[in-house]
Amino acid sequence: MGALDNIQEIRKQSITVGFMADTCRDRFHLQHLNEGVGRDKQITDKNLHRPQLALTGYTKLFTYHRVQVLGNTEFFYLQSLSPERRIEVFAALLSFDVPCMVVTTGNQLDPELVAIATERQIGIFCTPHETTKAIYLLSDFLDDHFAAYAPVHGAFVDVYGAGVLFIGRSGIGKSEVALDLIERGHRLVADDVVLVTRKGEGVLMGAGSALAPHFMEVRGLGLLDVRQMFGIRAIRFQKRVEVIVELEEWDPAAEYTRTGLEDATASLLGIEIPYVRLPIFPGKNITVIAEVIALNYLLKHYGYNAAQVFADKLSDAIANRSAGDMTSSRSTPYFEHDFE
Amino acid sequence: MVSRTVTIRNRAGLHTRPAATIVKKASQYRCEFTIIKEGFRINGKSIIGVMTLAAEQGSELTLEFEGSDEEAASVDIAEYFERGFDEEF
């Protein structure tokens, strides 16, 4: 398995609070109360923390390096205290080096408390979402940015709704196959540099790079912009990687599957993905075969495995009748006066 | 495998012209050629890949060559980097 051997996953060690603020501002209405403060602080953990016990003074196991979420419980606990005590408790909490703090449910933190955070250079954010939803959105965002990813050299196309990733040595014709598929109405996700990210359990998502989404190189032509050339119908921005197709020169010594009964998979970022090794030679229409691979994947996905059905029919015939009858009998018992 | 560390010397960085030259040079060799920038590995025979690195002046890259003619390829390509792509420093 050549083309995937060389892949090494990358993981971000940290993101800045400023990056989170910019990315989440519109997406989930994250408002920076002390605008501009603490943007350079690093978030190093994808988990969140609700500092309930830390507020009451028990800070022994306080995971202060996580993003702190002040939900209703924390907020109303603070409100229940006298103003002096409230400031004292909040200052004690922020004496730890927390990256930033998010207040949920649109609760308004006292200006004096925000001032303490500003003094300590800690960003305070506010979101109108209630705590459960805010935690879900923030966790999803952080999960995404701390997820393992890797650039894969290949062409990634949505074929009939199945994400097909073509790999193989450079010059074998991955881009040409992608171009042919686009011409037939399928959608390009990325060519040459496919950023594959592990998202959740067993899911790989692929997208293009920010610098050149939907650009493609065709030998002899140079760089093409598929979006400009074929329009919005020819592209998409992200797709789950569902099948990996490795293109290679026909090798008479190699064994290619003849029945498709065995489920071949390839490991990418530690996840097993259905894998097809496809020998190419002149006169073989790879595009049509790629469509068939996608359709066969969809059939299997919806519970129909052609190879298995054929194998079962055969076993059935052998068990119930003499094989000789079956080989000589047609699928149509008689021609019903229809000579078309 | 041959591995070389190089620095981008020219002021304009690894822009389109040198990227094209690198890809052309690399395609003359049979060996696999990978360029790595801060853990980001791309195929050195892909023009889009090399351009995606967006390597600016001063950035450090690792070049990896693997195959029968890796030695010759590494000398040829690393030298081109060291010359600052024959451009202004």
Side-chain angles (χ1 to χ4, degrees):
Chain A
M1 253 282 312
L4 292 179
D5 286 347
N6 217 0
I7 288 167
Q8 281 170 20
E9 63 180 60
I10 310 172
R11 235 179 235 278
K12 276 187 209 165
Q13 296 303 311
S14 66
I15 60 171
T16 64
V17 170
F19 175 75
M20 183 189 84
D22 296 340
T23 317
C24 300
R25 186 180 299 126
D26 297 332
R27 252 201 334 193
F28 32 96
H29 315 289
L30 202 64
Q31 189 199 344
H32 198 163
L33 290 179
N34 44 5
E35 188 78 48
V37 172
R39 285 179 58 89
D40 294 335
K41 273 199 181 288
Q42 303 283 331
I43 300 170
T44 56
D45 195 326
K46 67 175 185 172
N47 295 304
L48 305 169
H49 184 66
R50 292 189 65 179
Q52 297 170 338
L53 280 175
L55 281 174
T56 66
Y58 182 75
T59 54
K60 215 171 178 177
L61 299 172
F62 180 28
T63 46
Y64 59 85
H65 64 283
R66 294 180 181 168
V67 172
Q68 304 296 317
V69 178
L70 295 195
N72 271 339
T73 319
E74 291 85 354
F75 182 77
F76 287 111
Y77 172 73
L78 282 171
Q79 293 307 106
S80 73
L81 304 172
S82 68
E84 301 77 38
R85 178 78 186 129
R86 190 182 309 150
I87 287 171
E88 196 184 321
V89 161
F90 197 71
L93 188 74
L94 293 192
S95 67
F96 289 87
D97 188 20
V98 309
C100 67
M101 196 171 268
V102 178
V103 186
T104 69
T105 331
N107 289 327
Q108 294 302 315
L109 215 54
D110 293 350
E112 303 88 73
L113 300 187
V114 177
I116 298 172
T118 305
E119 192 189 310
R120 301 259 157 89
Q121 286 297 302
I122 292 167
I124 302 281
F125 296 85
C126 176
T127 170
H129 296 297
E130 55 181 71
T131 313
T132 318
K133 180 139 191 221
I135 286 181
Y136 169 75
L137 292 169
L138 275 171
S139 291
D140 193 51
F141 166 78
L142 292 175
D143 251 359
D144 200 17
H145 284 277
F146 284 106
Y149 73 102
V152 176
H153 178 65
F156 189 33
V157 188
D158 171 345
V159 185
Y160 295 127
V164 182
L165 177 62
F166 296 93
I167 56 171
R169 68 157 178 81
S170 62
I172 196 135
K174 300 180 292 293
S175 298
E176 287 75 6
V177 171
L179 204 53
D180 215 7
L181 284 166
I182 291 164
E183 190 61 48
R184 293 170 71 102
H186 303 291
R187 297 160 77 190
L188 178 77
V189 187
D191 189 41
D192 257 7
V193 179
V194 184
L195 296 177
V196 177
T197 305
R198 187 166 61 218
K199 184 106 174 105
E201 282 307 301
V203 176
L204 290 181
M205 295 299 294
S209 69
L211 184 67
H214 311 118
F215 276 71
M216 171 181 275
E217 187 216 356
V218 175
R219 300 294 149 98
L221 296 183
L223 297 169
L224 307 174
D225 184 339
V226 170
R227 184 174 182 175
Q228 287 297 321
M229 197 173 269
F230 296 93
I232 195 76
R233 69 174 177 91
I235 57 145
R236 60 180 296 168
F237 287 94
Q238 58 172 58
K239 180 76 188 97
R240 180 171 173 175
V241 180
E242 287 160 299
V243 187
I244 295 174
V245 177
E246 179 159 16
L247 303 179
E248 60 178 31
E249 277 97 1
W250 166 260
D251 175 4
E255 287 216 6
Y256 297 101
T257 183
R258 300 299 296 266
T259 61
L261 275 176
E262 50 293 296
D263 283 320
T265 60
S267 175
L268 180 53
L269 294 177
I271 289 173
E272 295 295 324
I273 302 286
Y275 167 75
V276 179
R277 218 170 130 196
L278 197 60
I280 60 170
F281 42 80
K284 182 163 172 177
N285 190 332
I286 298 296
T287 311
V288 173
I289 293 174
E291 286 182 330
V292 169
I293 288 170
L295 290 174
N296 206 32
Y297 167 80
L298 292 174
L299 274 181
K300 277 189 192 171
H301 189 73
Y302 288 110
Y304 185 88
N305 184 335
Q308 195 57 54
V309 170
F310 200 158
D312 291 348
K313 273 178 181 287
L314 176 61
S315 306
D316 217 31
I318 292 169
N320 293 329
R321 274 177 260 174
S322 75
D325 286 351
M326 280 300 275
T327 29
S328 58
S329 59
R330 288 193 309 258
S331 60
T332 313
Y334 62 100
F335 284 131
E336 287 188 338
H337 296 283
D338 182 357
F339 298 116
E340 208 170 18
Chain B
M1 190 192 63
V2 177
S3 177
R4 299 278 292 265
T5 305
V6 293
T7 310
I8 304 288
R9 294 164 170 271
N10 65 319
R11 202 167 45 207
L14 181 41
H15 62 98
T16 309
R17 193 194 61 81
T21 309
I22 290 165
V23 172
K24 272 187 206 156
K25 278 181 184 291
S27 300
Q28 292 163 8
Y29 298 95
R30 290 182 59 82
C31 63
E32 299 271 328
F33 172 40
T34 309
I35 309 181
I36 304 139
K37 184 193 173 200
E38 291 157 19
F40 197 84
R41 301 172 68 90
I42 60 93
N43 188 313
K45 293 184 180 181
S46 146
I47 180 75
I48 291 182
V50 177
M51 287 168 79
T52 303
L53 291 173
E56 71 285 0
Q57 187 180 28
S59 49
E60 216 169 67
L61 307 178
T62 305
L63 314 179
E64 279 182 11
F65 304 86
E66 178 135 34
S68 52
D69 51 3
E70 56 189 32
E71 203 55 55
S74 70
V75 170
D76 189 9
I77 293 168
E79 207 169 68
Y80 183 60
F81 274 90
E82 293 308 325
R83 290 205 306 268
F85 310 133
D86 305 322
E87 283 184 6
E88 274 180 70
F89 282 43

